[in-house]
Amino acid sequence: MYSPELINRLKEVSTPFYYYDVDVLKKSLETALKASSKYSYHIHYAIKANANPRILEIIKDYGFGADCVSGNEVTTAVEFGFPAESIAFAGVGKTDREINTAIDADISAFHVESVAELEVINELAGLKNKVVNVALRLNPNVDAKTHEYITTGLSENKFGINPWELDGLVAKLPSFENLNMIGIHFHIGSQILDMTVFEELAKKVNSLMDWFEEKGIKLPYINLGGGLGVDYENTDNLISDFESYFKSINDHLEQREGQSIHFELGRSLVGTCGDLISKVLYIKNGLEKNFVIADAGMTDLIRPALYKSSHKVENLTSDGVEEKYDVVGPVCESSDTFGKNLSLPLTKRGDLLVIKTAGAYGQVMASKYNLRDIAKEYYSDEI
Ligand code: LLP
């Protein structure tokens, strides 16, 4: 990926910055589409993973729908040309303004997370004399076996409607004159690599579909959310295992006639196409090993500080003997650390570092803490 010519060009750019490989993005999108189309599954891109204009344009051009979690994401999806009938809107705390934005945009479905929210959407749609599509986001109590901060499908989490609320909710449905209940939605967590988790989800969905059927409620729309992970360790694996993912769902989900099956993938589509590029500011003597102080920090990529996640770090401009370093950023927090005890070739001031697999939940989670600048982005076909 990083040829000597490319490294020379990158050296000219002011650091830190994000570098996106358009070919990797396209390959990832093509692979996902090929694997999903086998079963006629629909993929909505989870905009929250990366909302850069170029990335949105490319993904839209491939025909993906959009999955949004804020009114601004809905507006962005519409602006970038995602068809309204492919835009879904989830989130536990939709404001009235956001709900109105989405009603006005005629999106395909609200993924509703509570009875109280159903009441508000019904009321707001009524004021506009509209009937809007809603799908119930259910909490299936399936352990995603991932970091606790990105686990969303357990009963203890704030997400989704719990099974014990369903009887009461279903009894109320006929009174919501401005809602059209089209189906059910799930999202159990992110960075999931164990396919048995998705199998368990599919089985839970089967029994919930039975439950609704017994009540005579049709569910033409089933949305299984996102969550497929990427390989942060072996960064040669640039494309997620979409084949196994969709197959494990297809093998276990008992799809009913007339049902369309939807997914909301974020990380697996964009995670591997982006890296964070940083320059070494200083080498500082530590107690047992040296610190590499980079000019990128937790304000550019917060994942290591927030989830103790590790992104592979490589030195693009040294081939010296390997040494152990702690690679840290300049921000006034000890959690501003990209990795401890990392092996890097002898590293010096001015070396160019690449912090890999940062295409998802990287740039989009940047902050101005310490009043630092927001890192810009460059694309492989522009630089
Ligand atoms: N659908 C819903 C309702 C979601 O909340 C999410 C992600 C997705 C789909 C997409 O999930 P994915 O396919 O990307 O796993 N900032 C964290 C990840 C947070 C994920 C939030 N929800 C991280 O950096 O690991």
PDB file of all heavy atoms in Angstrom, residues 46 48-49 67 69 90 137 150 185 187 189-191 225-228 264-268 303 307 360-361 365, ligand 1:
ATOM      1  N   ALA A  46     -23.869   2.662   7.443  1.00  0.00           N
ATOM      2  CA  ALA A  46     -24.005   3.393   8.718  1.00  0.00           C
ATOM      3  C   ALA A  46     -23.105   4.632   8.656  1.00  0.00           C
ATOM      4  O   ALA A  46     -21.902   4.560   8.919  1.00  0.00           O
ATOM      5  CB  ALA A  46     -23.624   2.484   9.881  1.00  0.00           C
ATOM      6  N   LYS A  48     -22.510   7.002  10.471  1.00  0.00           N
ATOM      7  CA  LYS A  48     -21.737   7.409  11.640  1.00  0.00           C
ATOM      8  C   LYS A  48     -20.285   6.947  11.572  1.00  0.00           C
ATOM      9  O   LYS A  48     -19.421   7.538  12.194  1.00  0.00           O
ATOM     10  CB  LYS A  48     -22.388   6.886  12.924  1.00  0.00           C
ATOM     11  CG  LYS A  48     -22.328   5.386  13.068  1.00  0.00           C
ATOM     12  CD  LYS A  48     -22.972   4.917  14.341  1.00  0.00           C
ATOM     13  CE  LYS A  48     -24.467   4.883  14.220  1.00  0.00           C
ATOM     14  NZ  LYS A  48     -24.985   3.934  13.197  1.00  0.00           N
ATOM     15  N   ALA A  49     -19.998   5.887  10.813  1.00  0.00           N
ATOM     16  CA  ALA A  49     -18.634   5.356  10.784  1.00  0.00           C
ATOM     17  C   ALA A  49     -17.664   6.309  10.084  1.00  0.00           C
ATOM     18  O   ALA A  49     -16.481   6.394  10.470  1.00  0.00           O
ATOM     19  CB  ALA A  49     -18.614   3.995  10.082  1.00  0.00           C
ATOM     20  N   ASP A  67     -27.958   4.421   6.823  1.00  0.00           N
ATOM     21  CA  ASP A  67     -28.454   4.239   8.185  1.00  0.00           C
ATOM     22  C   ASP A  67     -27.993   5.442   8.993  1.00  0.00           C
ATOM     23  O   ASP A  67     -26.809   5.755   9.015  1.00  0.00           O
ATOM     24  CB  ASP A  67     -27.874   2.947   8.773  1.00  0.00           C
ATOM     25  CG  ASP A  67     -27.983   2.928  10.287  1.00  0.00           C
ATOM     26  OD1 ASP A  67     -29.105   3.105  10.781  1.00  0.00           O
ATOM     27  OD2 ASP A  67     -26.954   2.744  10.966  1.00  0.00           O
ATOM     28  N   VAL A  69     -28.277   8.107  12.571  1.00  0.00           N
ATOM     29  CA  VAL A  69     -28.609   8.158  14.005  1.00  0.00           C
ATOM     30  C   VAL A  69     -28.760   9.592  14.514  1.00  0.00           C
ATOM     31  O   VAL A  69     -28.697   9.828  15.716  1.00  0.00           O
ATOM     32  CB  VAL A  69     -27.559   7.412  14.871  1.00  0.00           C
ATOM     33  CG1 VAL A  69     -27.702   5.915  14.727  1.00  0.00           C
ATOM     34  CG2 VAL A  69     -26.156   7.866  14.542  1.00  0.00           C
ATOM     35  N   ALA A  90     -32.263   5.540  13.351  1.00  0.00           N
ATOM     36  CA  ALA A  90     -32.312   4.896  14.669  1.00  0.00           C
ATOM     37  C   ALA A  90     -31.822   5.857  15.744  1.00  0.00           C
ATOM     38  O   ALA A  90     -31.398   6.975  15.452  1.00  0.00           O
ATOM     39  CB  ALA A  90     -31.454   3.631  14.657  1.00  0.00           C
ATOM     40  N   ARG A 137     -37.156  -1.328  17.161  1.00  0.00           N
ATOM     41  CA  ARG A 137     -35.828  -1.854  17.499  1.00  0.00           C
ATOM     42  C   ARG A 137     -35.967  -2.668  18.777  1.00  0.00           C
ATOM     43  O   ARG A 137     -36.298  -2.141  19.833  1.00  0.00           O
ATOM     44  CB  ARG A 137     -34.818  -0.736  17.706  1.00  0.00           C
ATOM     45  CG  ARG A 137     -33.473  -1.295  18.165  1.00  0.00           C
ATOM     46  CD  ARG A 137     -32.387  -0.277  18.190  1.00  0.00           C
ATOM     47  NE  ARG A 137     -31.132  -0.853  18.630  1.00  0.00           N
ATOM     48  CZ  ARG A 137     -29.994  -0.188  18.663  1.00  0.00           C
ATOM     49  NH1 ARG A 137     -29.952   1.061  18.278  1.00  0.00           N
ATOM     50  NH2 ARG A 137     -28.883  -0.766  19.078  1.00  0.00           N
ATOM     51  N   ILE A 150     -19.211  -0.884  23.263  1.00  0.00           N
ATOM     52  CA  ILE A 150     -19.850  -1.014  21.947  1.00  0.00           C
ATOM     53  C   ILE A 150     -20.730  -2.270  21.894  1.00  0.00           C
ATOM     54  O   ILE A 150     -20.962  -2.859  20.854  1.00  0.00           O
ATOM     55  CB  ILE A 150     -18.821  -0.959  20.788  1.00  0.00           C
ATOM     56  CG1 ILE A 150     -17.648  -1.912  21.012  1.00  0.00           C
ATOM     57  CG2 ILE A 150     -18.311   0.452  20.596  1.00  0.00           C
ATOM     58  CD1 ILE A 150     -16.661  -1.964  19.842  1.00  0.00           C
ATOM     59  N   HIS A 185     -36.181  -4.359  14.022  1.00  0.00           N
ATOM     60  CA  HIS A 185     -34.781  -3.964  13.815  1.00  0.00           C
ATOM     61  C   HIS A 185     -33.957  -4.398  15.024  1.00  0.00           C
ATOM     62  O   HIS A 185     -34.449  -4.408  16.153  1.00  0.00           O
ATOM     63  CB  HIS A 185     -34.731  -2.435  13.637  1.00  0.00           C
ATOM     64  CG  HIS A 185     -33.356  -1.849  13.748  1.00  0.00           C
ATOM     65  ND1 HIS A 185     -33.012  -0.940  14.711  1.00  0.00           N
ATOM     66  CD2 HIS A 185     -32.246  -2.045  12.997  1.00  0.00           C
ATOM     67  CE1 HIS A 185     -31.742  -0.580  14.550  1.00  0.00           C
ATOM     68  NE2 HIS A 185     -31.255  -1.236  13.525  1.00  0.00           N
ATOM     69  N   HIS A 187     -29.676  -4.210  16.572  1.00  0.00           N
ATOM     70  CA  HIS A 187     -28.239  -3.926  16.388  1.00  0.00           C
ATOM     71  C   HIS A 187     -27.595  -4.266  17.722  1.00  0.00           C
ATOM     72  O   HIS A 187     -27.827  -3.586  18.717  1.00  0.00           O
ATOM     73  CB  HIS A 187     -27.988  -2.464  16.008  1.00  0.00           C
ATOM     74  CG  HIS A 187     -26.521  -2.154  15.970  1.00  0.00           C
ATOM     75  ND1 HIS A 187     -25.693  -2.616  14.971  1.00  0.00           N
ATOM     76  CD2 HIS A 187     -25.726  -1.481  16.826  1.00  0.00           C
ATOM     77  CE1 HIS A 187     -24.456  -2.220  15.212  1.00  0.00           C
ATOM     78  NE2 HIS A 187     -24.445  -1.531  16.329  1.00  0.00           N
ATOM     79  N   GLY A 189     -24.231  -4.704  18.518  1.00  0.00           N
ATOM     80  CA  GLY A 189     -22.900  -4.231  18.896  1.00  0.00           C
ATOM     81  C   GLY A 189     -21.998  -4.136  17.692  1.00  0.00           C
ATOM     82  O   GLY A 189     -22.426  -4.358  16.558  1.00  0.00           O
ATOM     83  N   SER A 190     -20.754  -3.789  17.961  1.00  0.00           N
ATOM     84  CA  SER A 190     -19.823  -3.491  16.871  1.00  0.00           C
ATOM     85  C   SER A 190     -18.515  -4.261  17.077  1.00  0.00           C
ATOM     86  O   SER A 190     -18.231  -4.730  18.184  1.00  0.00           O
ATOM     87  CB  SER A 190     -19.566  -1.981  16.891  1.00  0.00           C
ATOM     88  OG  SER A 190     -19.029  -1.545  15.687  1.00  0.00           O
ATOM     89  N   GLN A 191     -17.735  -4.352  15.989  1.00  0.00           N
ATOM     90  CA  GLN A 191     -16.452  -5.089  15.986  1.00  0.00           C
ATOM     91  C   GLN A 191     -16.668  -6.541  16.443  1.00  0.00           C
ATOM     92  O   GLN A 191     -16.022  -7.039  17.364  1.00  0.00           O
ATOM     93  CB  GLN A 191     -15.393  -4.351  16.837  1.00  0.00           C
ATOM     94  CG  GLN A 191     -13.979  -4.936  16.823  1.00  0.00           C
ATOM     95  CD  GLN A 191     -13.437  -5.214  15.423  1.00  0.00           C
ATOM     96  OE1 GLN A 191     -13.918  -4.701  14.424  1.00  0.00           O
ATOM     97  NE2 GLN A 191     -12.425  -6.043  15.324  1.00  0.00           N
ATOM     98  N   GLY A 225     -29.171  -4.846  11.545  1.00  0.00           N
ATOM     99  CA  GLY A 225     -28.151  -3.911  12.030  1.00  0.00           C
ATOM    100  C   GLY A 225     -26.786  -4.159  11.413  1.00  0.00           C
ATOM    101  O   GLY A 225     -26.666  -4.735  10.330  1.00  0.00           O
ATOM    102  N   GLY A 226     -25.765  -3.706  12.142  1.00  0.00           N
ATOM    103  CA  GLY A 226     -24.385  -3.869  11.642  1.00  0.00           C
ATOM    104  C   GLY A 226     -23.585  -4.710  12.597  1.00  0.00           C
ATOM    105  O   GLY A 226     -24.130  -5.606  13.236  1.00  0.00           O
ATOM    106  N   GLY A 227     -22.294  -4.403  12.685  1.00  0.00           N
ATOM    107  CA  GLY A 227     -21.482  -5.057  13.701  1.00  0.00           C
ATOM    108  C   GLY A 227     -20.319  -5.878  13.194  1.00  0.00           C
ATOM    109  O   GLY A 227     -19.411  -6.192  13.970  1.00  0.00           O
ATOM    110  N   LEU A 228     -20.339  -6.256  11.908  1.00  0.00           N
ATOM    111  CA  LEU A 228     -19.225  -7.073  11.414  1.00  0.00           C
ATOM    112  C   LEU A 228     -17.905  -6.314  11.592  1.00  0.00           C
ATOM    113  O   LEU A 228     -17.793  -5.138  11.228  1.00  0.00           O
ATOM    114  CB  LEU A 228     -19.454  -7.416   9.939  1.00  0.00           C
ATOM    115  CG  LEU A 228     -18.327  -8.205   9.254  1.00  0.00           C
ATOM    116  CD1 LEU A 228     -18.149  -9.582   9.894  1.00  0.00           C
ATOM    117  CD2 LEU A 228     -18.596  -8.355   7.765  1.00  0.00           C
ATOM    118  N   GLU A 264     -27.061  -2.880   8.357  1.00  0.00           N
ATOM    119  CA  GLU A 264     -26.511  -1.525   8.484  1.00  0.00           C
ATOM    120  C   GLU A 264     -25.033  -1.642   8.810  1.00  0.00           C
ATOM    121  O   GLU A 264     -24.658  -1.682   9.991  1.00  0.00           O
ATOM    122  CB  GLU A 264     -27.184  -0.790   9.640  1.00  0.00           C
ATOM    123  CG  GLU A 264     -28.668  -0.723   9.543  1.00  0.00           C
ATOM    124  CD  GLU A 264     -29.323  -0.354  10.859  1.00  0.00           C
ATOM    125  OE1 GLU A 264     -28.687  -0.461  11.923  1.00  0.00           O
ATOM    126  OE2 GLU A 264     -30.490   0.047  10.819  1.00  0.00           O
ATOM    127  N   LEU A 265     -24.213  -1.738   7.789  1.00  0.00           N
ATOM    128  CA  LEU A 265     -22.782  -1.941   8.028  1.00  0.00           C
ATOM    129  C   LEU A 265     -22.034  -0.615   8.004  1.00  0.00           C
ATOM    130  O   LEU A 265     -22.277   0.232   7.145  1.00  0.00           O
ATOM    131  CB  LEU A 265     -22.203  -2.881   6.973  1.00  0.00           C
ATOM    132  CG  LEU A 265     -22.823  -4.283   6.945  1.00  0.00           C
ATOM    133  CD1 LEU A 265     -22.197  -5.115   5.838  1.00  0.00           C
ATOM    134  CD2 LEU A 265     -22.636  -4.976   8.290  1.00  0.00           C
ATOM    135  N   GLY A 266     -21.135  -0.448   8.934  1.00  0.00           N
ATOM    136  CA  GLY A 266     -20.305   0.743   8.973  1.00  0.00           C
ATOM    137  C   GLY A 266     -18.838   0.369   8.897  1.00  0.00           C
ATOM    138  O   GLY A 266     -18.205   0.407   7.848  1.00  0.00           O
ATOM    139  N   ARG A 267     -18.312  -0.090  10.029  1.00  0.00           N
ATOM    140  CA  ARG A 267     -16.885  -0.379  10.148  1.00  0.00           C
ATOM    141  C   ARG A 267     -16.353  -1.308   9.058  1.00  0.00           C
ATOM    142  O   ARG A 267     -15.293  -1.067   8.483  1.00  0.00           O
ATOM    143  CB  ARG A 267     -16.624  -1.026  11.513  1.00  0.00           C
ATOM    144  CG  ARG A 267     -15.158  -1.222  11.832  1.00  0.00           C
ATOM    145  CD  ARG A 267     -14.980  -2.112  13.072  1.00  0.00           C
ATOM    146  NE  ARG A 267     -15.872  -1.782  14.141  1.00  0.00           N
ATOM    147  CZ  ARG A 267     -15.559  -0.994  15.188  1.00  0.00           C
ATOM    148  NH1 ARG A 267     -14.349  -0.494  15.290  1.00  0.00           N
ATOM    149  NH2 ARG A 267     -16.450  -0.752  16.123  1.00  0.00           N
ATOM    150  N   SER A 268     -17.108  -2.379   8.764  1.00  0.00           N
ATOM    151  CA  SER A 268     -16.581  -3.377   7.824  1.00  0.00           C
ATOM    152  C   SER A 268     -16.456  -2.804   6.417  1.00  0.00           C
ATOM    153  O   SER A 268     -15.665  -3.301   5.613  1.00  0.00           O
ATOM    154  CB  SER A 268     -17.489  -4.611   7.809  1.00  0.00           C
ATOM    155  OG  SER A 268     -18.840  -4.215   7.597  1.00  0.00           O
ATOM    156  N   ARG A 303     -10.082   6.123  19.592  1.00  0.00           N
ATOM    157  CA  ARG A 303     -10.411   4.728  19.898  1.00  0.00           C
ATOM    158  C   ARG A 303      -9.475   4.078  20.934  1.00  0.00           C
ATOM    159  O   ARG A 303      -9.951   3.421  21.854  1.00  0.00           O
ATOM    160  CB  ARG A 303     -10.462   3.884  18.621  1.00  0.00           C
ATOM    161  CG  ARG A 303     -11.470   4.404  17.570  1.00  0.00           C
ATOM    162  CD  ARG A 303     -11.771   3.396  16.491  1.00  0.00           C
ATOM    163  NE  ARG A 303     -12.482   2.260  17.013  1.00  0.00           N
ATOM    164  CZ  ARG A 303     -11.953   1.103  17.263  1.00  0.00           C
ATOM    165  NH1 ARG A 303     -10.690   0.879  16.988  1.00  0.00           N
ATOM    166  NH2 ARG A 303     -12.660   0.127  17.781  1.00  0.00           N
ATOM    167  N   TYR A 307     -11.563   2.928  24.085  1.00  0.00           N
ATOM    168  CA  TYR A 307     -11.895   1.490  24.162  1.00  0.00           C
ATOM    169  C   TYR A 307     -10.660   0.617  24.392  1.00  0.00           C
ATOM    170  O   TYR A 307     -10.734  -0.596  24.218  1.00  0.00           O
ATOM    171  CB  TYR A 307     -12.545   1.007  22.858  1.00  0.00           C
ATOM    172  CG  TYR A 307     -13.591   1.913  22.280  1.00  0.00           C
ATOM    173  CD1 TYR A 307     -13.363   2.594  21.088  1.00  0.00           C
ATOM    174  CD2 TYR A 307     -14.815   2.083  22.911  1.00  0.00           C
ATOM    175  CE1 TYR A 307     -14.320   3.428  20.543  1.00  0.00           C
ATOM    176  CE2 TYR A 307     -15.771   2.914  22.376  1.00  0.00           C
ATOM    177  CZ  TYR A 307     -15.533   3.584  21.191  1.00  0.00           C
ATOM    178  OH  TYR A 307     -16.480   4.411  20.646  1.00  0.00           O
ATOM    179  N   ALA A 360     -12.828   3.810  10.022  1.00  0.00           N
ATOM    180  CA  ALA A 360     -14.136   3.857  10.690  1.00  0.00           C
ATOM    181  C   ALA A 360     -13.975   4.397  12.101  1.00  0.00           C
ATOM    182  O   ALA A 360     -13.078   3.977  12.832  1.00  0.00           O
ATOM    183  CB  ALA A 360     -14.744   2.453  10.744  1.00  0.00           C
ATOM    184  N   TYR A 361     -14.841   5.309  12.483  1.00  0.00           N
ATOM    185  CA  TYR A 361     -14.851   5.884  13.826  1.00  0.00           C
ATOM    186  C   TYR A 361     -13.497   6.510  14.172  1.00  0.00           C
ATOM    187  O   TYR A 361     -13.048   6.459  15.313  1.00  0.00           O
ATOM    188  CB  TYR A 361     -15.257   4.817  14.867  1.00  0.00           C
ATOM    189  CG  TYR A 361     -16.535   4.111  14.510  1.00  0.00           C
ATOM    190  CD1 TYR A 361     -16.551   2.775  14.106  1.00  0.00           C
ATOM    191  CD2 TYR A 361     -17.738   4.812  14.524  1.00  0.00           C
ATOM    192  CE1 TYR A 361     -17.728   2.142  13.749  1.00  0.00           C
ATOM    193  CE2 TYR A 361     -18.925   4.179  14.165  1.00  0.00           C
ATOM    194  CZ  TYR A 361     -18.911   2.845  13.782  1.00  0.00           C
ATOM    195  OH  TYR A 361     -20.076   2.235  13.435  1.00  0.00           O
ATOM    196  N   MET A 365     -14.838  10.978  14.788  1.00  0.00           N
ATOM    197  CA  MET A 365     -14.905  11.170  16.247  1.00  0.00           C
ATOM    198  C   MET A 365     -13.856  12.168  16.738  1.00  0.00           C
ATOM    199  O   MET A 365     -13.599  12.267  17.944  1.00  0.00           O
ATOM    200  CB  MET A 365     -14.727   9.826  16.967  1.00  0.00           C
ATOM    201  CG  MET A 365     -15.889   8.875  16.777  1.00  0.00           C
ATOM    202  SD  MET A 365     -15.666   7.276  17.596  1.00  0.00           S
ATOM    203  CE  MET A 365     -16.090   7.669  19.288  1.00  0.00           C
TER     204      MET A 365
HETATM  205  N1  LLP B   1     -26.627   0.416  13.265  1.00  0.00           N
HETATM  206  C1  LLP B   1     -26.737   1.034  14.445  1.00  0.00           C
HETATM  207  C2  LLP B   1     -28.062   1.290  15.010  1.00  0.00           C
HETATM  208  C3  LLP B   1     -25.571   1.419  15.137  1.00  0.00           C
HETATM  209  O1  LLP B   1     -25.671   2.020  16.322  1.00  0.00           O
HETATM  210  C4  LLP B   1     -24.293   1.147  14.570  1.00  0.00           C
HETATM  211  C5  LLP B   1     -23.081   1.528  15.257  1.00  0.00           C
HETATM  212  C6  LLP B   1     -24.248   0.516  13.313  1.00  0.00           C
HETATM  213  C7  LLP B   1     -25.436   0.158  12.693  1.00  0.00           C
HETATM  214  C8  LLP B   1     -22.963   0.233  12.581  1.00  0.00           C
HETATM  215  O2  LLP B   1     -22.188  -0.706  13.266  1.00  0.00           O
HETATM  216  P1  LLP B   1     -20.827  -1.257  12.633  1.00  0.00           P
HETATM  217  O3  LLP B   1     -21.179  -2.065  11.425  1.00  0.00           O
HETATM  218  O4  LLP B   1     -19.954  -0.074  12.291  1.00  0.00           O
HETATM  219  O5  LLP B   1     -20.239  -2.082  13.713  1.00  0.00           O
HETATM  220  N2  LLP B   1     -17.204   4.199  18.016  1.00  0.00           N
HETATM  221  C9  LLP B   1     -17.138   2.771  18.195  1.00  0.00           C
HETATM  222  C10 LLP B   1     -18.224   2.050  17.422  1.00  0.00           C
HETATM  223  C11 LLP B   1     -19.598   2.521  17.772  1.00  0.00           C
HETATM  224  C12 LLP B   1     -20.681   1.852  16.964  1.00  0.00           C
HETATM  225  C13 LLP B   1     -21.974   2.561  17.150  1.00  0.00           C
HETATM  226  N3  LLP B   1     -23.065   2.022  16.444  1.00  0.00           N
HETATM  227  C14 LLP B   1     -15.746   2.285  17.812  1.00  0.00           C
HETATM  228  O6  LLP B   1     -14.917   3.096  17.460  1.00  0.00           O
HETATM  229  O7  LLP B   1     -15.460   1.092  17.917  1.00  0.00           O
END
